[in-house]
Amino acid sequence: MRNAFFLTHANKTFLMSSLLSASQDQDDWQFYANSVCLSPDGSVVFGSSDGCKFMPPQAMNTDFLRTYVGTHASKMLNIFGLEVKNQEGKVLAVTDEVSRLSRYTFTYDENDLKFSFYYPSFSRRSALLCQYRLEGYDKDWQAPTYECVAHYSNLAPGKYTFHLRLISSMNRPALAERKIEIIIKPAPWWSSAAWLLYFGIIVFVLYTFNRLYLKARTNHLCLLEEQRETEREKRAKEMNMKFFANISHEFRNPLTIIAGPLMMLNADKALPDSVHRILNHVCIKCE
């Protein structure tokens, strides 16, 4: 039996609240199975270990959120504590400001969070449950719990929103909801400024390597051009030497043929001195 009774503030009558359940503890009263009947005035009577419990017809349609207890329960839901630990285990506790502020910013190494919250309980085992979800980390709501602590560790840098809601059952709307935004900054070496610096360094390194490569390639091409020019000059010089050697050879043969008779004439003593002078001059040129 999940439904129990609460006492109305106005006329002190019992009304059924789907949010309050009979305790399952041994020391508390419980409903008995097959112990129910309908009274002439339409009230439903349940038998329990603490006597008969009457439920008037209007209790079946009672909206708990409109009752005094429901309104009070929704107002009591609160996130009153936020404990933060850094990677060295140092605790930074945020308590009194949690109820006033809605956004908190921490550094990259302050990524171990523990949320403490409070919700109303009207019995030892109340049917009021809490559900929480860390948006940006949890894909869905955590299972309903009676606990008042939510712990998240090793959170990555980013934006998160911690949602806390008070429910009576999974198929009914939440009675109240609270939320806190959490921002964990990235490490200095992963920040936007760091990425911009990395990009600038990469661009500078690529520019420097490209410039050195172009300079080395230019020097290499200039050296090849000089080598080609030297080889061209060497070939031109060799061709000139061969040309002059060939010309000399072509002229030497006829000159040798001519010089032989002239030298024989120059050896003839019968010729006048003027002829000898001319022959000497020609023979010297032929040599």
Side-chain angles (χ1 to χ4, degrees):
M1 179 65 185
R2 295 290 299 171
N3 296 322
F5 303 93
F6 65 90
L7 191 63
T8 62
H9 180 70
N11 53 16
K12 308 297 184 181
T13 59
F14 281 100
L15 296 181
M16 185 182 72
S17 169
S18 61
L19 299 178
L20 302 179
S21 67
S23 172
Q24 298 176 0
D25 295 336
Q26 292 290 333
D27 298 335
D28 292 334
W29 57 269
Q30 299 180 5
F31 288 108
Y32 291 136
N34 300 323
S35 178
V36 60
C37 66
L38 185 64
S39 66
D41 62 353
S43 299
V44 180
V45 183
F46 292 96
S48 71
S49 59
D50 192 42
C52 294
K53 303 298 180 181
F54 291 83
M55 183 180 67
Q58 61 269 26
M60 300 296 292
N61 299 320
T62 299
D63 187 356
F64 182 77
L65 293 178
R66 297 180 181 272
T67 64
Y68 172 80
V69 178
T71 304
H72 182 62
S74 62
K75 291 180 179 180
M76 291 175 66
L77 181 65
N78 187 30
I79 304 173
F80 68 87
L82 174 57
E83 184 180 287
V84 184
K85 291 183 181 179
N86 58 17
Q87 294 178 355
E88 297 178 354
K90 184 178 179 180
V91 178
L92 172 64
V94 182
T95 55
D96 55 345
E97 295 183 354
V98 172
S99 59
R100 297 201 303 264
L101 300 180
S102 59
R103 175 179 296 180
Y104 295 89
T105 302
F106 303 103
T107 59
Y108 72 97
D109 60 341
E110 298 172 340
N111 58 353
D112 192 314
L113 308 181
K114 184 170 71 173
F115 298 90
S116 300
F117 44 88
Y118 171 79
Y119 69 98
S121 177
F122 300 104
S123 67
R124 295 186 183 180
R125 180 72 70 173
S126 174
L128 289 174
L129 299 173
C130 273
Q131 266 191 311
Y132 59 86
R133 177 172 70 99
L134 186 61
E135 185 179 348
Y137 182 84
D138 293 326
K139 295 182 179 180
D140 202 353
W141 290 90
Q142 296 289 336
T145 178
Y146 291 107
E147 300 294 332
C148 296
V149 174
H151 186 202
Y152 294 91
S153 59
N154 298 324
L155 293 176
K159 294 182 179 180
Y160 303 92
T161 303
F162 180 73
H163 295 270
L164 175 69
R165 68 182 184 182
L166 185 65
I167 63 172
S168 61
S169 62
M170 297 297 295
N171 57 351
R172 297 197 178 188
L175 301 178
E177 185 171 345
R178 305 287 185 268
K179 66 178 181 178
I180 296 178
E181 294 183 6
I182 303 294
I183 298 176
I184 299 179
K185 293 183 178 180
W189 50 87
W190 294 116
S191 62
S192 301
W195 280 109
L196 184 61
L197 177 62
Y198 300 153
F199 178 76
I201 293 175
I202 293 174
V203 171
F204 175 76
V205 171
L206 291 177
Y207 171 77
T208 302
F209 273 106
N210 184 62
R211 186 175 180 181
L212 293 175
Y213 170 76
L214 292 177
K215 185 177 181 180
R217 184 172 178 81
T218 302
N219 294 335
H220 180 67
L221 293 177
C222 292
L223 181 61
L224 290 178
E225 187 64 26
E226 291 178 358
Q227 292 177 353
R228 293 192 187 100
E229 187 66 26
T230 302
E231 292 177 358
R232 282 196 296 267
E233 291 178 356
K234 184 178 180 180
R235 286 197 298 268
K237 194 175 293 185
E238 291 176 354
M239 291 176 65
N240 290 334
M241 294 295 294
K242 289 181 179 180
F243 175 74
F244 286 116
N246 293 333
I247 292 296
S248 299
H249 179 71
E250 294 296 332
F251 279 106
R252 187 175 296 156
N253 290 335
L255 289 176
T256 302
I257 296 174
I258 296 172
L262 291 176
M263 293 177 66
M264 292 177 63
L265 290 173
N266 192 22
D268 190 359
K269 302 297 183 181
L271 295 175
D273 293 336
S274 59
V275 175
H276 280 290
R277 285 195 297 270
I278 295 171
L279 290 174
N280 288 333
H281 181 73
V282 173
C283 289
I284 292 173
K285 293 296 183 180
C286 291
E287 293 178 356

